[in-house]
Amino acid sequence: MASRLSLLLLLALVLPASGDDAAATAAAPAPAPAGGASFNVTEILGRFPEFGLFSYLISKTHVDRDINSRNTVTVLVPDNSAVDWLLRRSARLPRAALVELLSVHVVLDYFDAAKIAALPPGKPTVSTTLFQTTGNARRRTGFLAITPTAKGGAVFASAAPGALVNATLKRVVAAVPYNISVLQISNFVVPPGVLTRPRPGPGPLPLPSPPLPRMKPMAIAPTPAPVPAPTKMVPIPPSLPLTDPADEDGDEAPAAAPAPSHGNAVKVMSWWSGLGVLVGTMACVFGYL
């Protein structure tokens, strides 16, 4: 921001200040250029410090040379505040995009106040711009639509659909019929894709990664030896006192009853079966008696 203000201040000091006639809405006659040329656009803009930034841009990008090489041309000029708006909006605008944008504001036809008033009311008139001659214009972005309004005004817009920014006519700055006309407009005319289209060439330089924070050296304690897990102790009941068989009494311990064998069980079951058969036979005999 400080560099732009310094540039604006420098341009205001170097360029001659304009008088009351420069602020009038009537067109001022353009000075006769030297060297046999029909006109010099930077000399015309040099009379008006409010267009110093636009004059600086067309001079640094050499668009002024293309303008001066034409026989008939109309230059649409925004003032310093509009240029500052563009720089704020596109701080890293590529040079190619800036050249294309400036070329949109150079109409390859002559328009002054009288010719604009004679245009069909409410109907846009399409004119060719310098951008169309570069071969980079797409979808009618190289054409400009001029629509007259009430009281001698006009609206300037891109002929391509989806224009980003339009502008209105503020005044006629200078005119040399029918070679050059300089018209002040309210803002830049921004066709779609001119500022946002990708450009060939290397991209922005990668930003260096921030340095890692330095770590303070720390003393490392030795790793302690692993502690074994505590062994779970199982309580053991006290053992019975051992006795000598010779010291025991002479009485013998009663012997355990022997478990019934499988053969004894079979004998018992057979006896009960036989008893059941005998009872059934006797019942039958008594039943017949």
Side-chain angles (χ1 to χ4, degrees):
M1 180 62 184
S3 60
R4 300 194 196 107
L5 292 177
S6 301
L7 175 61
L8 180 58
L9 180 60
L10 179 62
L11 290 174
L13 293 176
V14 173
L15 297 176
S18 58
D20 296 337
D21 294 338
T25 57
S38 58
F39 55 81
N40 189 313
V41 65
T42 55
E43 290 183 4
I44 297 174
L45 295 177
R47 302 175 58 194
F48 308 96
E50 62 268 33
F51 305 128
L53 289 181
F54 186 85
S55 179
Y56 176 82
L57 292 180
I58 63 175
S59 176
K60 289 301 181 181
T61 56
H62 305 307
V63 175
D64 60 336
R65 299 179 183 178
D66 293 331
I67 296 175
N68 295 335
S69 65
R70 301 287 171 172
N71 294 325
T72 301
V73 69
T74 298
V75 184
L76 308 178
V77 184
D79 61 10
N80 293 332
S81 61
V83 177
D84 183 71
W85 171 86
L86 175 69
L87 297 179
R88 289 175 181 269
R89 184 180 180 88
S90 305
R92 301 182 64 181
L93 187 65
R95 178 186 176 90
L98 182 59
V99 170
E100 293 178 356
L101 182 63
L102 295 174
S103 300
V104 172
H105 295 75
V106 181
V107 183
L108 303 182
D109 199 353
Y110 180 84
F111 289 94
D112 56 9
K115 187 172 181 178
I116 291 177
L119 295 176
K123 182 179 180 181
T125 298
V126 179
S127 298
T128 307
T129 68
L130 184 62
F131 180 37
Q132 182 65 25
T133 64
T134 62
N136 298 326
R138 303 177 181 179
R139 298 182 59 189
R140 297 175 62 84
T141 54
F143 297 95
L144 201 67
I146 305 174
T147 305
T149 59
K151 298 182 181 181
V155 175
F156 299 89
S158 175
L164 301 180
V165 181
N166 301 332
T168 57
L169 175 65
K170 299 190 70 174
R171 62 170 175 148
V172 179
V173 178
V176 179
Y178 288 92
N179 298 123
I180 184 172
S181 175
V182 179
L183 307 179
Q184 181 184 358
I185 57 177
S186 60
N187 206 341
F188 279 94
V189 178
V190 184
V194 172
L195 299 182
T196 58
R197 184 171 72 251
R199 308 287 169 172
L205 296 177
L207 298 177
S209 57
L212 297 177
R214 299 181 59 182
M215 304 297 293
K216 295 182 179 179
M218 300 177 62
I220 301 176
T223 305
V227 179
T231 306
K232 187 176 182 180
M233 306 297 293
V234 179
I236 301 176
S239 58
L240 298 176
L242 298 178
T243 57
D244 190 354
D247 297 338
E248 296 179 356
D249 296 335
D251 298 336
E252 296 181 357
S261 62
H262 181 69
N264 294 333
V266 173
K267 293 179 179 180
V268 172
M269 293 179 65
S270 300
W271 184 82
W272 280 103
S273 299
L275 180 60
V277 172
L278 178 60
V279 172
T281 304
M282 294 179 63
C284 292
V285 171
F286 284 108
Y288 284 106
L289 293 179

